[in-house]
């Protein structure tokens, strides 16, 4: 990837020219490039050599800062020739009251991004099925996922691409740890149950604060995420507040925790499915850890 970022003629037409913005943009683009390369989101060499066909990705656009940032970063990489992929943006209109239907198609037309707007009234289904006082998020997410898989197949896309970032992964890890009794976060690359659509998260190492600054500088037309009225009291919000508190007390703790997600020692956990404790015996290869107290 070229060290100097050249602006795309459409999406970045009104982007700030400040040094701070250029550094921010470069940090997000390079972070996504590293995720793509590290986790094998595509085989650029084989595509460039004609050994594999040029893939097509469905970029899921909700109207929030993260998905706008995702699309901008991917288009940046595409413009520089570092991402030999055809992109199609997709927004799912779920029938939420007050959803501004015109915002995304108008913006996508203006910046010249191929897109598809899908209208499915999942809101009515969720409000009917979920008990009063409970959040809609879990069922809403399952319905949304199934629709996006279907659209990806219809559009001939090998992957759907999501705008989840580092902080999303950490909040999910904490939720699973505290409420789910398992060690799991958000993977950068996932194959769906049917085995025919991949799920990519190129921003999974990017900080939410960077994406917020980027969205503000780019003046993206943000659509609020609380239209369903089901956001208060979420477990995820509680985890976010907990991480915020830790960050205030120890700046940089989020990044340290993020590194831990890529630095796992199965022999120092308790899951016999990922480490064969029964085969461990005297005379074998030892492994000590000075950070574990005796």
């Amino acid at each position: 990837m070229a060290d100097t970022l050249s602006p795309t003629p459409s999406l970045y037409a009104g982007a700030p020219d400040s040094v701070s913005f250029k550094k921010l943009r470069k940090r997000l683009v390079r972070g996504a490039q590293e995720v793509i390369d590290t986790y094998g989101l595509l085989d650029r060499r084989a595509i460039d050599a004609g050994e594999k066909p040029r893939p097509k990705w469905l970029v899921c656009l909700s109207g929030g800062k993260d998905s706008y940032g995702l699309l901008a970063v991917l288009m940046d990489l595409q413009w520089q020739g570092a991402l030999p992929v055809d992109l199609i943006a997709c927004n799912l209109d779920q029938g939420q009251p007050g959803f501004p239907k015109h915002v995304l198609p108008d913006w996508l037309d203006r910046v010249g991004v191929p897109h598809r707007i899908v209208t499915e009234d999942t809101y009515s289904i969720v409000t009917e099925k979920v008990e009063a006082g409970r959040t809609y998020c879990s069922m809403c997410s399952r319905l949304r996922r199934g629709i996006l898989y279907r659209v990806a197949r219809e559009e001939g896309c090998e992957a759907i691409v999501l705008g989840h970032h580092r902080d999303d992964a950490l909040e999910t890890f904490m939720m699973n740890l505290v409420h789910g009794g398992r060690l799991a976060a958000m993977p950068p690359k996932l194959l769906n149950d049917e085995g025919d659509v991949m799920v990519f998260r190129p921003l999974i190492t990017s900080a939410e604060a960077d994406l917020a600054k980027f969205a503000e500088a780019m003046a993206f037309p943000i659509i609020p995420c609380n239209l369903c009225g089901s956001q208060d009291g979420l477990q995820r919000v509680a985890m976010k507040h907990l991480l915020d508190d830790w960050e205030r007390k120890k700046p940089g703790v989020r990044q340290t925790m993020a590194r831990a997600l890529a630095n796992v020692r199965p022999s120092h956990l308790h899951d016999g499915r990922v480490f064969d404790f029964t085969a461990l015996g005297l005379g074998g290869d030892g492994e000590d850890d000075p950070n574990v107290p005796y």
Side-chain angles (χ1 to χ4, degrees), residues 24 27-28 206-216:
L24 173 62
R27 184 160 63 246
L28 290 171
S206 299
E208 182 178 16
D210 279 350
L211 288 163
K213 293 175 185 175
F214 185 73
E216 182 178 5

Side-chain angles (χ1 to χ4, degrees), residues 21 70 85 97 100 109 200 239 260 264 288:
F21 176 78
L70 170 67
V85 173
D109 284 337
F200 295 156
M239 294 300 107
V264 179
D288 204 354

Side-chain angles (χ1 to χ4, degrees), residues 40-287:
L41 272 55
L42 82 161
D43 188 341
R44 190 162 47 248
R45 186 208 60 79
I47 296 168
D48 291 341
E51 298 170 6
K52 289 185 177 180
R54 183 180 175 96
K56 188 177 183 182
W57 291 358
L58 189 76
V59 183
C60 300
L61 195 65
S62 67
K65 67 181 189 312
D66 305 329
S67 60
Y68 276 121
L70 170 67
L71 180 61
V73 165
L74 293 179
M75 289 184 67
D76 210 329
L77 287 168
Q78 189 184 52
W79 177 256
Q80 296 174 63
L83 188 68
V85 173
D86 293 326
L87 304 175
I88 176 171
C90 178
N91 172 251
L92 174 57
D93 176 358
Q94 298 179 260
Q96 295 171 327
F99 182 77
K101 298 176 181 291
H102 66 285
V103 170
L104 282 169
D106 288 354
W107 182 81
L108 289 164
D109 284 337
R110 188 168 67 252
V111 297
V113 177
H115 61 276
R116 177 170 170 182
I117 307 298
V118 180
T119 302
E120 294 275 356
D121 186 9
T122 62
Y123 177 79
S124 296
I125 298 173
V126 171
T127 52
E128 178 184 343
K129 299 291 185 182
V130 176
E131 298 177 8
R134 298 181 66 88
T135 60
Y136 304 147
C137 299
S138 179
M139 179 177 287
C140 182
S141 178
R142 288 197 301 273
L143 293 172
R144 184 168 61 247
R145 185 183 307 123
I147 294 168
L148 291 173
Y149 285 150
R150 171 178 61 79
V151 173
R153 296 182 187 106
E154 292 173 355
E155 294 291 338
C157 296
E158 72 169 35
I160 64 173
V161 192
L162 306 175
H164 295 130
H165 45 67
R166 179 199 69 184
D167 300 54
D168 288 325
L170 292 177
E171 290 158 18
T172 300
F173 174 80
M174 294 298 294
M175 287 174 63
N176 281 322
L177 178 67
V178 174
H179 300 288
R182 59 184 176 272
L183 296 180
M186 287 178 168
K189 181 180 182 181
L190 179 74
L191 182 62
N192 71 336
D193 289 341
E194 291 80 3
D196 65 339
V197 180
M198 302 295 297
V199 179
F200 295 156
R201 296 182 172 95
L203 299 181
I204 203 64
T205 61
S206 299
E208 182 178 16
D210 279 350
L211 288 163
K213 293 175 185 175
F214 185 73
E216 182 178 5
M218 292 288 289
F220 293 135
I222 302 297
I223 297 174
C225 65
N226 60 351
L227 294 175
C228 65
S230 179
Q231 298 298 313
D232 293 337
L234 290 177
Q235 294 173 349
R236 183 174 293 277
V237 173
M239 294 300 107
K240 186 179 185 65
H241 290 165
L242 179 62
L243 289 168
D244 285 342
D245 185 50
W246 289 354
E247 190 72 31
R248 281 192 295 270
K249 294 176 179 177
K250 183 177 174 58
V253 71
R254 272 190 171 95
Q255 189 57 29
T256 300
M257 293 177 68
R259 286 200 301 271
L261 296 180
N263 187 22
V264 179
R265 303 189 72 175
S267 64
H268 284 55
L269 299 174
H270 303 169
D271 193 340
R273 295 169 299 181
V274 296
F275 185 81
D276 190 358
F277 292 97
T278 61
L280 188 64
L282 296 175
D285 293 331
E287 181 182 23

